[in-house]
Amino acid sequence: MTVVGPFGLSVRDQALEADVQTGLAAVEAGLLDATKSDVPFITEAAQHLVLAGGKRFRPLLVMLAAQFGDPYAPGVVPSAVVVELTHLATLYHDDVMDEADVRRGVDSANTRWGNSIAVLTGDFLFARASHTLADLGPEAVRIQSEAFERLVTGQILETAGPMDGRDPVEHYLDVLGGKTGSLVAVSCRFGAMMSGADESVVDTLTQYGERLGVAFQLADDVLDIASDSHESGKTPGTDLREGIPTLPVLHLRAAAAAHGRPEDLELVALVDSDLSDDERHAEALRRLRAHPALEQARRDTVRYAEEARAMLAPLPDGYAKAALAEMCDAVVHRAG
């Protein structure tokens, strides 16, 4: 049993392990090649987050989904490079919007070079992803463009906030479906499609990826409050300090609005205050960790992960299916 990929996913078959490891190594080489420029400074900026590492969650899903067809098909690795480049590009833009200082344990691009360079580098990565995508055919271009539209729509909806009368929790889950679920779904879809898997398998894995992607982000929400050392390279409470509404905070606000308990209202006021002060930030974290809202967010994470697992039922049994099911377990484990 060998550990590969994010969260220490265990692979119990040597042939599958070899395919996954070889595929991920090829993706890594592809990422470095795709982020090279004739201008050395652009190469440095574009490879900043590639070299910082990361879970390679989406390429891993491409490799596992490809096991339901021909995992050596020529489009599998390039499609994994496309989804990871797209994901990396969004991180550059997200860090500018969130004014983040750290990403994956290193200075964010906007901290190191300023907002303009960070935004333009993200654009450069989108362009390189499109260049690779063009070789995969018009259907792949259409699928990626639709996913990218959903991703951007989710970001816009998050920035705009829920419309009057809309449940903020429902709005947030819809946002995550666009921002995170769409690209994770495409990762599974590309892996299966490029490998020549049956259309029913492609559809099943796409639906699995959508739900797994939301669960993955919800686990991050829980970790931002609950962890002592954040897996993404961010320190605990980063989203909280920056005023980014995550699911535990939304559940807290809903409880305060529904029941009006003084302790809930007081905690909402604390969360909404200036948390740049370390003592106030630590107090908000301490109280949120003890609040039922955090456990409610964990239950939501488990629900989406279990929905993802249920989607796998029609697939043929085997090591690849077991590994995808274990991804659901790993997401839940991250959320505690």
Side-chain angles (χ1 to χ4, degrees), residues 111-159:
T111 296
R112 186 164 180 177
W113 294 294
N115 286 345
S116 295
I117 294 297
V119 170
L120 291 169
T121 302
D123 293 344
F124 176 81
L125 294 179
F126 283 131
R128 286 299 176 89
S130 297
H131 185 272
T132 302
L133 187 65
D135 294 332
L136 298 178
E139 178 68 3
V141 172
R142 182 187 65 79
I143 290 168
Q144 176 75 355
S145 65
E146 289 175 354
F148 190 50
E149 179 183 346
R150 287 189 60 206
L151 193 157
V152 174
T153 299
Q155 184 65 70
I156 292 171
L157 290 175
E158 180 181 55
T159 303

Side-chain angles (χ1 to χ4, degrees), residues 188-205:
C188 294
R189 186 171 185 176
F190 274 169
M193 186 176 82
M194 296 298 166
S195 74
D198 290 344
E199 189 61 35
S200 61
V201 171
V202 175
D203 290 343
T204 293
L205 287 167

Side-chain angles (χ1 to χ4, degrees), residues 1-13 16-21 24 55-65 67 208 212 216 231 309 312 318-334:
M1 182 173 71
T2 302
V3 172
V4 298
F7 336 123
L9 175 68
S10 59
V11 174
R12 296 176 173 82
D13 177 69
L16 175 57
E17 175 203 337
D19 285 348
V20 169
Q21 296 284 21
L24 290 177
K55 302 178 186 68
R56 302 296 189 251
F57 176 53
R58 293 156 188 82
L60 175 58
L61 286 170
V62 175
M63 297 304 136
L64 291 175
Q67 293 293 320
Y208 160 85
L212 185 71
F216 180 80
E231 291 181 22
R309 183 201 303 278
L312 298 173
Y319 290 113
K321 179 177 178 179
L324 290 171
E326 188 171 332
M327 294 285 275
C328 302
D329 294 333
V331 167
V332 171
H333 178 72
R334 292 177 74 229

Side-chain angles (χ1 to χ4, degrees), residues 49 52-56 84 87-88 91 102-106 232-233:
L49 290 184
K55 302 178 186 68
R56 302 296 189 251
E84 188 67 8
H87 171 59
L88 289 169
L91 298 184
V102 176
R103 171 68 70 173
R104 294 182 172 175
V106 300
S232 71

